[in-house]
Amino acid sequence: MTRIALLDYGMGNLHSAAKALEHVGAVVDVTHDPKVVAQADKIVFPGVGAMRDCMQGMRDAGIDEVVRQVVFNKPVLAICVGMQALMQHSEENGGVEALGIFAGAVKRFPDITNLKVPHMGWNQVHQCDPSHPMWKDIAQDSRFYFVHSYYVEPQSEPLIAATCEYGINFCTAIHQDNVFATQFHPEKSHTVGLQLLKNFVEWDI
C-alpha cells in the first residue's frame, strides 16, 4: 500500500485529509518528522489559515526544509495554503515571503462589486490538460469546494493545471513533474475530491 506523509505544522485540516486518503487506500502518517517523511512514498502538504502563521508554523516544525528536500524527489500534493506556500511571495498579512519553489505570487481577489471574499463554496474547475493522471475519471468542469481569499498567479503559464472563474479567471491548480497542487480542498469535495486523492495515491511517476 502507498504510505503517505501528511505534513503536520499546526495549520492543516489534518483529520479530514487523513480520513479521505485512508478511504482511497493509503496508509497515512501525520508527521513533521523528517525521518518519517523520508520513508514515505508520497507527501501531502496541506494548509489553512493566514500565510504568515503558516510560514511560521513551517519554520518552527522544520517543515520548510523538509518540503524543499522532498519536492524534487517524491510525488507531492499541496492543498490550499500549501499550494500558495510553494510560490515566492504572498500579499497576505502585508506581504510574506513563501518557500519560493516556483516563480509566482499569491494575490488577493480584487474589489469587485457583489464579489464576496472569501470565495467559499462549490465552483467549476476547468482542466488545462485533461490527460494529466491527476484528472483521471474526473469530468471537465467538475465542481470542487473552495474557501480562500487569495489565489496563486504563477509566472510560467505551463505551470497552470486548472483555472476557475470567480470575478476573475484565476489559477486553481498547478503541476510540474512530481508536484501537483490545488487551491480547492479535495478532502471536502465529495466524490470528485476522493477521485483526485485516489489518483494521487495511484500516481506512478
Side-chain angles (χ1 to χ4, degrees), residues 155-177:
Q155 286 187 13
S156 172
E157 188 171 331
L159 195 63
I160 300 174
T163 60
C164 179
E165 286 284 344
Y166 189 71
I168 60 171
N169 188 46
F170 71 94
C171 171
T172 188
I174 61 173
H175 67 121
Q176 182 169 296
D177 301 327

Side-chain angles (χ1 to χ4, degrees), residues 5 31 33-41 43 66 69-70 73-74:
T31 185
D33 186 338
K35 293 181 181 178
V36 176
V37 174
Q39 293 168 356
D41 300 309
I43 311 298
V66 169
Q69 291 167 15
V70 303
N73 56 43
K74 289 180 186 285

Side-chain angles (χ1 to χ4, degrees), residues 142-154:
S142 290
R143 294 167 67 85
F144 289 84
Y145 185 81
F146 292 82
V147 53
H148 64 121
S149 300
Y150 294 79
Y151 65 94
V152 164
E153 189 173 87

Side-chain angles (χ1 to χ4, degrees), residues 61-127:
I63 289 293
D64 54 340
E65 289 306 316
V66 169
V67 171
R68 288 190 177 97
Q69 291 167 15
V70 303
V71 76
F72 298 110
N73 56 43
K74 289 180 186 285
V76 175
L77 172 64
I79 299 170
C80 196
V81 176
M83 170 180 168
Q84 295 177 6
L86 298 177
M87 298 295 113
Q88 294 168 306
H89 179 82
S90 174
E91 291 182 347
E92 193 171 3
N93 303 123
V96 179
E97 294 305 310
L99 294 174
I101 304 296
F102 299 118
V106 180
K107 299 189 173 184
R108 194 179 193 281
F109 280 110
D111 292 327
I112 299 175
T113 303
N114 297 326
L115 185 71
K116 294 182 179 180
V117 178
H119 171 211
M120 185 180 299
W122 297 84
N123 210 331
Q124 289 182 321
V125 170
H126 183 79
Q127 305 162 18

